[in-house]
Amino acid sequence: MAPARRVGLLLSLLLPVVSASMPGTVVRLNRAVLSYVSEIGKAPLQQALNVTVPYFLEWNGEVHQPTRIQTLNIRVPHFHLKFLADFGVRLLVAANFTFKVFRVPEPLELMLPVVVLADAHVAQGSIGTPVVSISACFPLFSNASVSHGSSSVAPGPLALVQKHVRAVLRNKLCLSVSNLVQGLNVHLGTLIGLNPVGPESQIRYSMISVPNITKDYISLDINAVLFLLGKPIVLPVDATPFVLPLHVGANGTMATVGLSRDLFDSVLLLLQKAGALNLDITGQLESGDNLLNTSVLGQLIPEVARWFPKPMPVALKVQLGATPVVTLHTHNATLQLQPFVEVRAVASNSAFRSLFSFDMVVNLSLQLSVSKLKLRGTTSVLGDIQLAVASSNVGFIDTDQVHPLMDAVFKKPLLDHLNALLGMGIALPNMVNLHYVDPEVFVYEGYVVISSGLLYQR
């Protein structure tokens, strides 16, 4: 990867970028990230500042003689970044250049300290991505010195060489910084693409407002549209604008990602519309501990015993016609499902015969975690499953008698299905080669916060 592109990717850590989020999402990058970018950015920045200095025409008393100037070394001892409120990011780079001037009769080494100040403006692009542009750039030069061991040179010729080098660097150093920014914008432009959620669903991301920049952080309001079979998923009601409060999550963290309840509502609506939450629970007669058969049901419902004198397999067809409801309270996230469960048995002709159906209410505890750039969930049942008879072809059903059986055969398959589904995760805001480090999840009233360090790896 070219040095300019590497530094561009590093600088993009300063920008509120996303590759996956939902409506009501805020990405905030705090001052702690600046120190990290400054440290890892020194080496590639040194390479990017390695500009070519053309020949210097030196008068030898008779003719102008071309003198070659070679850049021997560039060292960046100091690379400082800070946020500029309502504007962007300021870069301060202190670099020491060492040049070899091939003069006659002896070459000399010239050391030139340079400070580059540049202001990068962060704005909203027309296609919904962050756009960065250099609004000002100033190279500041100290006096050059000749290294020990080089032959002495008269002040006049030395001043001419120094003037030549400064003129070249004055133009080329700021051009190098500008090239970094241009490469960064190309990289950020890829954020508007579709990202897969499942086999038939995707998410598309875009900024919905200009960045909010203070002296302490830079943040971005993100809109993500979910698609199922190419059609957008729209919440039944307009989402309430989400404002991420200050001082939430862990102190001193690099990144703070705020996710409103709308994120979870949108994901659950997508899963419900895709039918991913539906499942079939079946039993095998050969299994010794199988409770899903007509013999067991017949002991609770006499009509079933009369219909099926011989044991036959029973299946539960679970469908969620209503969208699950997530509730976020401080330190507590819960999920409520209202499945419709049809109990069917295999008849003698191998066709399924409907016996009865239930309307159920299942309350679940939702534990959230982050791994491999995804927000993942696991569930466990809270309290008892509530059920009410929706229809029956086998006469009266005593729910108090049937409840223990339904509880035994329903809970584990449901949890296995949900945890496998939620364990796949939803991609969190990220960029290429950027990883979350030691992320922590905090649940607040109506929203979730992820605090994390960041690690850039090529």
Side-chain angles (χ1 to χ4, degrees):
M1 183 182 293
R5 181 170 175 80
R6 284 200 297 268
V7 178
L9 290 176
L10 294 172
L11 290 177
S12 64
L13 291 175
L14 304 179
L15 306 176
V17 296
V18 298
S19 70
S21 68
M22 305 301 299
T25 301
V26 174
V27 178
R28 181 182 293 164
L29 293 171
N30 306 306
R31 279 194 295 181
V33 77
L34 300 179
S35 298
Y36 176 66
V37 175
S38 298
E39 185 60 33
I40 65 175
K42 284 182 180 179
L45 183 59
Q46 287 175 173
Q47 299 180 44
L49 295 178
N50 190 359
V51 299
T52 301
V53 178
Y55 280 71
F56 168 64
L57 294 178
E58 184 176 10
W59 179 254
N60 63 4
E62 298 179 359
V63 295
H64 284 95
Q65 179 177 340
T67 300
R68 185 164 69 94
I69 299 177
Q70 177 186 358
T71 304
L72 294 181
N73 182 49
I74 302 171
R75 191 172 65 89
V76 177
H78 185 71
F79 180 22
H80 179 72
L81 300 156
K82 74 173 184 177
F83 294 123
L84 298 178
D86 301 319
F87 189 81
V89 179
R90 172 163 292 172
L91 295 78
L92 188 153
V93 181
N96 294 322
F97 290 78
T98 302
F99 301 99
K100 187 171 185 177
V101 183
F102 291 87
R103 300 183 73 249
V104 177
E106 281 189 52
L108 60 88
E109 287 189 6
L110 192 69
M111 292 177 292
L112 179 63
V114 182
V115 172
V116 179
L117 288 173
D119 290 342
H121 182 226
V122 184
Q124 179 186 15
S126 59
I127 59 175
T129 58
V131 175
V132 192
S133 59
I134 295 298
S135 64
C137 181
F138 306 99
L140 306 174
F141 300 95
S142 298
N143 290 326
S145 61
V146 177
S147 65
H148 297 292
S150 297
S151 58
S152 60
V153 60
L158 179 60
L160 292 175
V161 172
Q162 184 176 189
K163 181 180 180 181
H164 172 74
V165 172
R166 284 184 175 183
V168 172
L169 296 184
R170 184 172 288 109
N171 293 324
K172 290 193 173 184
L173 293 185
C174 285
L175 181 60
S176 295
V177 174
S178 180
N179 287 338
L180 294 180
V181 171
Q182 293 302 318
L184 175 59
N185 287 332
V186 172
H187 180 69
L188 294 177
T190 63
L191 298 175
I192 63 170
L194 290 173
N195 292 272
V197 176
E200 300 173 335
S201 55
Q202 303 85 25
I203 301 178
R204 187 180 66 195
Y205 317 95
S206 61
M207 297 168 57
I208 59 176
S209 62
V210 297
N212 178 27
I213 308 171
T214 74
K215 64 181 180 63
D216 297 315
Y217 62 82
I218 180 169
S219 70
L220 186 66
D221 291 331
I222 301 301
N223 181 49
V225 180
L226 288 91
F227 292 88
L228 177 62
L229 297 174
K231 296 182 179 180
I233 298 293
V234 181
L235 291 175
V237 295
D238 292 335
T240 302
F242 173 55
V243 177
L244 180 64
L246 296 174
H247 313 300
V248 292
N251 293 327
T253 189
M254 292 186 190
T256 304
V257 181
L259 311 171
S260 78
R261 202 187 78 174
D262 295 329
L263 180 152
F264 302 91
D265 290 341
S266 299
V267 173
L268 292 171
L269 180 59
L270 173 68
L271 295 176
Q272 185 258 329
K273 284 184 174 294
L277 296 171
N278 301 334
L279 74 150
D280 292 330
I281 303 173
T282 59
Q284 300 294 327
L285 290 177
E286 294 80 5
S287 176
D289 58 354
N290 172 46
L291 299 178
L292 276 176
N293 60 70
T294 56
S295 177
V296 174
L297 272 181
Q299 297 174 32
L300 305 174
I301 306 170
E303 190 67 19
V304 173
R306 286 192 289 270
W307 279 18
F308 300 92
K310 294 182 179 181
M312 297 298 289
V314 171
L316 306 182
K317 188 172 184 62
V318 183
Q319 294 181 301
L320 273 83
T323 305
V325 177
V326 66
T327 303
L328 302 175
H329 295 301
T330 303
H331 308 308
N332 183 37
T334 59
L335 185 64
Q336 186 181 82
L337 306 182
Q338 299 182 48
F340 175 80
V341 180
E342 183 185 10
V343 181
R344 304 188 299 176
V346 177
S348 57
N349 60 358
S350 298
F352 277 103
R353 185 173 183 178
S354 179
L355 304 180
F356 54 89
S357 61
F358 286 120
D359 289 320
M360 286 190 174
V361 177
V362 184
N363 292 306
L364 302 156
S365 173
L366 178 62
Q367 295 83 39
L368 300 170
S369 61
V370 174
S371 65
K372 296 182 179 179
L373 300 174
K374 289 187 176 184
L375 178 67
R376 306 175 193 271
T378 56
T379 60
S380 57
V381 176
L382 290 173
D384 292 331
I385 293 176
Q386 304 171 38
L387 54 86
V389 177
S391 64
S392 174
N393 294 319
V394 291
F396 174 75
I397 298 175
D398 187 340
T399 55
D400 290 338
Q401 282 193 326
V402 176
H403 189 283
L405 174 62
M406 297 302 296
D407 190 80
V409 300
F410 181 71
K411 274 187 180 179
K412 186 179 185 305
L414 175 68
L415 291 178
D416 289 346
H417 180 73
L418 282 177
N419 290 336
L421 195 62
L422 300 178
M424 295 172 60
I426 293 292
L428 287 168
N430 69 88
M431 57 168 283
V432 175
N433 299 327
L434 184 64
H435 304 275
Y436 289 97
V437 177
D438 298 326
E440 296 181 80
V441 179
F442 301 86
V443 181
Y444 293 92
E445 195 71 25
Y447 64 97
V448 169
V449 167
I450 299 166
S451 297
S452 181
L454 298 172
L455 175 65
Y456 176 80
Q457 287 182 321
R458 289 192 293 113

